[in-house]
Amino acid sequence: MHSNIKRLLSLIFIFSSLSLVYTQESNQPKSNTIEYKEMSLNDNDIVYMPVYHNTNVNFITQYVAIEPKKDEGLNVFDAKWNTKIFNPYLGENIIFPFLIKFTNKNFSSPIDRKMVVTSRFGWRRRRPHRGIDIDLQIGDSVRSILDGKVRYSKYHGGHGNTVIVRHSNGLETVYAHLSKNLVKENDEVKKGQVIGTGGITGNSRGSHLHLEVRYQGKSINPEYLFEFTNKNEIRSEVFYVTKKWTNPRYHISTRKSKIVVCDSIDDIALQSKQEKEIYTVRKGDTLHRIANKYGVAVSEICKINSIPYNSVLKIGQQILVN
């Protein structure tokens, strides 16, 4: 009996509190402004839910991406500074979308000759290609595309002789397959400064510069940020980076992806709806079974994944679907 009385009193208190809150809110002037409420979908994804105040009842219509919080006291330039490890962020997650800002409008060409991209960020020979390949000759000068500081300068597996430069906004640029590194760790470099010479070290099919762009360990399609033409323009002062621009599965190395820069939260919400889904192949799956599941043609799946119609799928293989 005693516990029932306590439960009843608790319910009365709760309803009284809710009534007070509703009365306070109903007395506030209504407008057509939107208030965004933060909600967590899982450990890595946070979204803002818009609550509209143009009626007497608040309601939620759709979700939009949250602008990443600015961690007070955190210096993205100094964070995880490690001159011994290629990727000091290995094993750590990042919240999407994340924000990158530039103070420059242009970057320096990484080579002195005309830039010819021979292989792009994307899926290549059933493996992820996390950068772009730029044609050059052995011994050609390789230059830092922005001001920065050398975090890593040594031989690294398939990359061969590699230089990694970190820039003031936390972005890192990776220059691989060099014949010689001309800078050392902790050297400060200027935009356009020679940092190495072109080569074929590591896993390289012919001489070229393998250029990667990374942020907190995540590779980003370089062509999303930089326009590799004779203008050498940075596409925007502000970029919101979604999973689409960090996952090679969404791109094909043999052709340039359609570049649509997201420089606002609204752009992120629109692009998220347009992104294709990635399916992981399970035991017994076939292209026809997957196509039927998602209501698309087998030919469409083959086209967006650059695979033949009679492909034999492997368990664990990831493919793009609508």
Side-chain angles (χ1 to χ4, degrees), residues 252-264:
I252 299 174
S253 65
T254 54
R255 65 170 182 257
K256 184 178 180 180
S257 298
K258 182 180 180 181
I259 306 297
V260 179
V261 173
C262 294
D263 57 9
S264 71

Side-chain angles (χ1 to χ4, degrees), residues 122-123 243-244 247-252 255 257 274-281 287 290-291 294 296-307 313 317-322:
W123 205 243
K243 291 181 180 179
K244 173 181 178 179
N247 192 335
R249 284 283 181 182
Y250 288 105
H251 310 271
I252 299 174
R255 65 170 182 257
S257 298
Q274 298 173 343
E275 289 182 0
K276 296 182 182 296
E277 184 177 347
I278 296 178
Y279 179 79
T280 302
V281 176
L287 283 175
I290 296 171
Y294 287 92
V296 298
V298 174
S299 59
E300 179 65 16
I301 293 179
C302 293
K303 179 180 178 181
I304 62 178
N305 288 277
S306 295
I307 57 177
L313 303 179
Q317 179 180 346
Q318 292 184 323
I319 60 175
L320 289 174
V321 294
N322 279 327

Side-chain angles (χ1 to χ4, degrees), residues 4-244:
N4 289 337
I5 293 174
K6 289 182 65 177
R7 188 179 296 108
L8 179 60
L9 290 174
S10 298
L11 288 173
I12 292 173
F13 176 76
I14 292 172
F15 282 115
S16 299
S17 301
L18 289 175
S19 176
L20 177 61
V21 171
Y22 178 79
T23 301
Q24 291 174 340
E25 289 188 353
S26 62
N27 291 332
Q28 298 297 321
K30 299 298 179 181
S31 67
N32 291 324
T33 59
I34 304 173
E35 176 187 358
Y36 288 95
K37 299 292 187 181
E38 181 181 323
M39 297 187 68
S40 175
L41 297 181
N42 51 51
D43 291 339
N44 299 322
D45 295 315
I46 298 176
V47 297
Y48 261 0
M49 304 294 288
V51 178
Y52 295 80
H53 294 288
N54 56 355
T55 67
N56 290 329
V57 180
N58 293 341
F59 61 94
I60 297 173
T61 57
Q62 63 181 7
Y63 73 85
V64 293
I66 180 177
E67 178 175 345
K69 292 181 177 179
K70 299 176 179 62
D71 294 328
E72 295 183 3
L74 175 63
N75 187 330
V76 292
F77 181 79
D78 295 325
K80 294 283 185 179
W81 186 269
N82 190 315
T83 60
K84 306 297 182 184
I85 301 175
F86 178 86
N87 180 12
Y89 293 92
L90 189 64
E92 296 188 7
N93 293 321
I94 190 170
I95 297 175
F96 288 95
F98 55 85
L99 178 66
I100 295 179
K101 294 182 178 181
F102 286 87
T103 56
N104 309 77
K105 293 184 178 180
N106 298 87
F107 66 97
S108 173
S109 172
I111 62 172
D112 292 338
R113 62 179 68 239
K114 179 181 179 180
M115 279 189 290
V116 177
V117 178
T118 58
S119 185
R120 293 187 147 85
F121 181 96
W123 205 243
R124 183 178 72 176
R125 296 190 291 272
R126 299 188 177 184
R127 297 182 63 183
H129 186 231
R130 302 187 184 279
I132 62 172
D133 293 343
I134 300 174
D135 188 39
L136 51 61
Q137 298 296 318
I138 296 176
D140 282 356
S141 295
V142 173
R143 302 177 182 274
S144 177
I145 66 175
L146 295 168
D147 293 347
K149 188 175 181 179
V150 179
R151 183 183 63 77
Y152 183 95
S153 180
K154 53 176 59 72
Y155 192 94
H156 178 258
H159 287 93
N161 291 328
T162 304
V163 171
I164 300 178
V165 179
R166 183 175 291 185
H167 309 288
S168 59
N169 58 2
L171 202 71
E172 292 189 334
T173 47
V174 180
Y175 309 81
H177 303 320
L178 304 177
S179 59
K180 185 181 295 185
N181 295 8
L182 299 179
V183 289
K184 62 183 184 300
E185 290 90 349
N186 297 312
D187 280 352
E188 293 187 357
V189 296
K190 296 294 185 181
K191 179 171 72 172
Q193 180 178 331
V194 177
I195 59 176
T197 54
I200 54 173
T201 58
N203 185 15
S204 174
R205 298 186 178 187
S207 59
H208 66 272
L209 170 66
H210 175 78
L211 176 67
E212 293 185 19
V213 175
R214 291 175 171 259
Y215 184 79
Q216 295 187 9
K218 283 291 184 182
S219 57
I220 304 171
N221 188 334
E223 292 183 288
Y224 178 59
L225 306 177
F226 304 104
E227 186 176 351
F228 291 96
T229 65
N230 56 357
K231 295 182 179 179
N232 295 341
E233 290 182 340
I234 299 173
R235 295 185 185 275
S236 176
E237 293 182 358
V238 176
F239 293 87
Y240 286 92
V241 182
T242 64
K243 291 181 180 179
K244 173 181 178 179

